[in-house]
Amino acid sequence: MVLKGLLGPEEIIDLIIEENGIDVYSTELLDVEGLREGSRVFSVRTPYKRLRVYIVDTREGAQIATRPEIVGSEFFELNRRAALDAAVAIRQLAGLGRPAVLLHILRASLGYRLHEALRKLGIPFSEAFVRVKYVVESYRAHTQREVRVVYRKFEDLPGEDTALIVADTVATGRTLGAAVRTACEELQRRGAGVEKLVIYGFLAWKGIERVYQEAQELGIRDVYAFAMQDVTPLAYNDYDMP
């Protein structure tokens, strides 16, 4: 390997991209109005017609992604600022033309502070809450983990088709898929449906793809994914997102 001390910053970046197989050619910088200084939004090419993927690049998102020592009030404040740009991008690119439902997946969802950003922009929405748990079950000699929704709170849902918005960390997409399915069932009981799904947070491609496929099965026409900083791969343990 070439000594990094002999390379300039751009050459080091090129080396990192090459050695790690990072795809830097599937993105396009977009002109999104209302972003804070230094923030950018990119579109990401996908093989799916009804799936639109974007990257929301902010200084705060970069700090959250690279500094695990950030906790507490500083963590929440950085997420709050990053969510402001995400909300601007969601409003312009996902076309929220009617009241939406913001689905909180407890506990991670609230940490993204997207609900605060949407309120600040004056975007109307109802709130719903679910808790999803992995349950280990044994059948004969085989042990498997099943995803279950163990808590749900749905109030003041619209009686018409709506947009479903979720802020969460998406690795395999199993948790999000179970939460979205539950929300669709609750809305159907009220004579409503989900016309589009909007997800925001740290997102792995495997999870995005799985959620998109499940959304199509549920009859959700369009899926919009707004990833913080990048669309990540997924490690062998189906948990870590390098």
Side-chain angles (χ1 to χ4, degrees):
M1 181 176 176
V2 180
L3 292 176
K4 290 184 172 59
L6 302 178
L7 301 176
E10 292 187 5
E11 293 171 307
I12 292 175
I13 292 172
D14 289 341
L15 187 61
I16 292 172
I17 290 170
E18 181 181 353
E19 290 188 347
N20 292 279
I22 300 172
D23 179 4
V24 295
Y25 301 105
S26 295
T27 59
E28 179 182 352
L29 181 63
L30 301 179
D31 183 15
V32 176
E33 296 181 359
L35 298 176
R36 296 170 306 127
E37 184 178 357
S39 297
R40 302 176 297 176
V41 175
F42 299 84
S43 64
V44 181
R45 288 195 298 273
T46 81
Y48 301 105
K49 183 178 180 181
R50 312 305 304 189
L51 172 62
R52 297 168 179 84
V53 179
Y54 304 96
I55 292 173
V56 182
D57 174 32
T58 66
R59 294 189 178 109
E60 292 81 6
Q63 291 185 65
I64 296 167
T66 59
R67 296 179 56 199
E69 72 273 15
I70 296 176
V71 295
S73 60
E74 183 182 4
F75 175 79
F76 287 123
E77 181 58 30
L78 291 175
N79 273 285
R80 188 176 293 110
R81 295 177 195 168
L84 287 173
D85 288 317
V88 168
I90 289 171
R91 181 173 61 181
Q92 290 187 36
L93 299 172
L96 299 180
R98 64 178 68 185
V101 174
L102 182 61
L103 178 63
H104 293 290
I105 302 178
L106 304 171
R107 309 175 185 166
S109 170
L110 293 168
Y112 281 107
R113 318 315 284 178
L114 183 61
H115 54 297
E116 294 183 2
L118 294 174
R119 285 197 188 99
K120 189 167 185 177
L121 292 183
I123 298 174
F125 62 91
S126 302
E127 290 182 273
F129 301 82
V130 297
R131 186 184 298 280
V132 181
K133 184 178 181 180
Y134 279 88
V135 179
V136 178
E137 292 194 345
S138 178
Y139 177 72
R140 296 193 179 183
H142 300 283
T143 299
Q144 59 184 7
R145 300 175 74 210
E146 180 184 343
V147 181
R148 289 185 184 175
V149 175
V150 296
Y151 170 82
R152 66 186 70 191
K153 181 180 179 183
F154 291 88
E155 297 177 355
D156 301 323
L157 295 182
E160 59 180 342
D161 289 354
T162 186
L164 184 65
I165 305 173
V166 189
D168 197 30
T169 302
V170 180
T172 64
R174 293 184 67 195
T175 295
L176 180 55
V180 169
R181 187 174 296 275
T182 299
C184 287
E185 292 170 355
E186 292 289 341
L187 283 162
Q188 286 174 359
R189 291 191 184 100
R190 293 161 171 80
V194 177
E195 64 176 6
K196 66 180 69 173
L197 172 64
V198 179
I199 58 178
Y200 165 69
F202 287 111
L203 311 178
W205 170 248
K206 183 176 180 179
I208 294 173
E209 191 172 39
R210 180 174 192 149
V211 170
Y212 170 73
Q213 292 168 349
E214 290 200 23
Q216 295 292 288
E217 294 175 4
L218 290 168
I220 301 174
R221 179 176 172 82
D222 295 299
V223 176
Y224 297 81
F226 292 83
M228 292 181 68
Q229 302 312 117
D230 62 355
V231 177
T232 76
L234 195 60
Y236 69 93
N237 59 7
D238 278 346
Y239 181 82
D240 293 315
M241 300 157 66

